[in-house]
Amino acid sequence: MPGTRTMMLAGITAAVSTATLTLSAHADTAARHEPEAAARCAYPADVLDLTNWKLTLPTGDDEDPTEITQPELAAFSADPWFRADDGCDAVSFRAAVNGVTTGGSSYPRAELREMTDNGADEAEWSTTDGTHTLVVTEAFTALPEERPYVVGAQVHGGDDDVTVFRLEGSKLYITDGDDRHHHLVTDDYELGTEFEAKFVAEDGKISAYYNGELQTTLSHDGDTNYFKAGAYTQANCDNAAPCDDDNYGEVRISRIEATHS
């Protein structure tokens, strides 16, 4: 009997040791995986394919904002203006009312501009030659005080925007040139609500879709067009207070794809 009890104790000890080793191995594996997950989205380019885009930020010198092109954009972030979300499923773009603007605008932006040739050249395409499509899955997450207007995606042509998705308070519009209220998509948009914005340009026209449904079609004949997406805040220190970093527009993008055929 003593021999049997000794064997049983030895078996229990061995089982406990095995379980301990197994738990330790699992703990080590988890510890190794956690930093890998964090590193997986260290940069926005780990979340979105930014190969054929460049970035303009609301930082830099007066009328000379910071621009980031490829290949630098592939390993670039600038918290809080341009960063990957903690969940690695989206990128946040933020532009405060006191941000630096481009020479052609009085409003700040944290925005992508379409490029070609792996980001080497600026895109320019014609609405009468081929089919050009932009699909952006995004959500407006913050609006500036006093003037709560932000643009989230646009078709730009030459020196000015052609049509954009523009949020004013709870009203989401698709614009037509200077007509910023051309088409009302919804009058009860809630911040944080994700939606799909889509532009299709062909045959001298641009069609705009919201969550897959056609909203409006504009006539536009031009050959210097390109897509943009991000947070283009339609407010500055002249018309919105407080004039500081905490008064901003913000857009969260989880998907962006531009195609041409």
Side-chain angles (χ1 to χ4, degrees):
M1 289 298 293
T4 300
R5 186 160 48 248
T6 300
M7 290 176 63
M8 290 177 62
L9 289 172
I12 292 171
T13 301
V16 170
S17 298
T18 301
T20 301
L21 287 171
T22 301
L23 288 172
S24 298
H26 282 242
D28 289 343
T29 301
R32 286 196 301 271
H33 284 176
E34 284 179 5
E36 287 175 5
R40 185 165 50 86
C41 61
Y43 306 108
D46 296 328
V47 180
L48 303 176
D49 182 357
L50 302 179
T51 302
N52 279 313
W53 298 93
K54 77 173 179 179
L55 174 72
T56 301
L57 290 172
T59 59
D61 299 322
D62 186 33
E63 296 191 355
D64 186 22
T66 304
E67 285 195 346
I68 308 298
T69 58
Q70 294 291 3
E72 289 79 14
L73 185 57
F76 177 83
S77 64
D79 192 15
W81 317 116
F82 176 68
R83 61 180 179 83
D85 285 2
D86 292 340
C88 298
D89 57 356
V91 174
S92 288
F93 297 76
R94 180 186 296 187
V97 299
N98 63 346
V100 173
T101 67
T102 62
S105 175
S106 57
Y107 299 126
R109 71 187 79 208
E111 192 177 41
L112 298 172
R113 195 264 197 221
E114 186 186 10
M115 304 288 282
T116 62
D117 300 323
N118 294 320
D121 299 313
E122 294 186 341
E124 286 189 356
W125 43 262
S126 172
T127 55
T128 60
D129 183 14
T131 300
H132 313 277
T133 304
L134 174 70
V135 179
V136 183
T137 303
E138 63 184 352
F140 293 91
T141 52
L143 298 175
E145 295 180 37
E146 291 197 357
R147 187 177 165 88
Y149 307 158
V150 176
V151 167
Q154 59 175 309
V155 177
H156 204 279
D159 298 327
D160 205 356
D161 54 273
V162 177
T163 180
V164 311
F165 277 83
R166 175 188 177 100
L167 183 63
E168 298 187 0
S170 62
K171 295 180 179 180
L172 180 62
Y173 293 98
I174 296 169
T175 68
D176 181 3
D178 292 332
D179 182 2
R180 73 188 200 196
H181 297 157
H182 165 71
H183 176 79
L184 178 64
V185 176
T186 178
D187 62 1
D188 62 353
Y189 179 84
E190 294 184 3
L191 290 180
T193 302
E194 190 170 78
F195 65 94
E196 181 187 271
K198 180 180 178 181
F199 291 116
V200 179
E202 60 183 351
D203 300 327
K205 298 179 179 179
I206 301 174
S207 297
Y209 298 79
Y210 174 78
N211 288 336
E213 295 186 3
L214 178 63
Q215 298 294 311
T216 185
T217 298
L218 315 172
S219 295
H220 177 66
D221 184 356
D223 58 6
T224 57
N225 304 291
Y226 52 92
F227 295 123
K228 304 188 81 174
Y232 183 19
T233 298
Q234 304 293 285
N236 56 39
C237 287
D238 292 333
N239 54 32
C243 176
D244 57 36
D245 287 353
D246 292 328
N247 191 13
Y248 57 84
E250 188 175 68
V251 175
R252 182 178 184 270
I253 294 179
S254 58
R255 178 196 177 198
I256 185 168
E257 182 178 10
T259 57
H260 304 276
S261 60

